[in-house]
Amino acid sequence: MTSLADYQWLFRKAPSMATSIGEDGAYLDVNDAFLQRLGYAREDMVGRKPAEFVTAESARRIETELMPL
């Protein structure tokens, strides 16, 4: 039988960037790929909203490096 801990491990170790966001819009969890790609620690992100991380530089990086069109 698969446990909650197994699902949490799979979420954290998935190779693609993934987040879990609560009803209030704040991060409940972020996976390792997300942290590695963006350069944050998990404790810096959990409990905060995505908009708190958007700066002019991060918006540029999203557009040019992470999600180029």
Side-chain angles (χ1 to χ4, degrees):
M1 185 168 165
T2 305
S3 70
L4 178 58
D6 292 332
Y7 286 116
Q8 288 171 328
W9 185 89
L10 287 170
F11 171 82
R12 291 228 173 138
K13 300 303 177 188
S16 59
M17 294 169 60
T19 66
S20 176
I21 296 178
E23 291 181 19
D24 65 351
Y27 290 115
L28 295 172
D29 201 357
V30 292
N31 76 348
D32 294 350
F34 190 89
L35 296 171
Q36 181 181 24
R37 185 80 175 177
L38 297 181
Y40 288 101
R42 186 171 282 107
E43 57 270 12
D44 294 333
M45 300 197 75
V46 172
R48 295 175 63 190
K49 294 182 179 181
E52 294 180 51
F53 296 91
V54 179
T55 63
E57 174 58 23
S58 63
R60 183 208 58 79
R61 188 166 177 230
I62 289 168
E63 292 176 350
T64 61
E65 296 176 32
L66 301 176
M67 299 167 139
L69 296 177

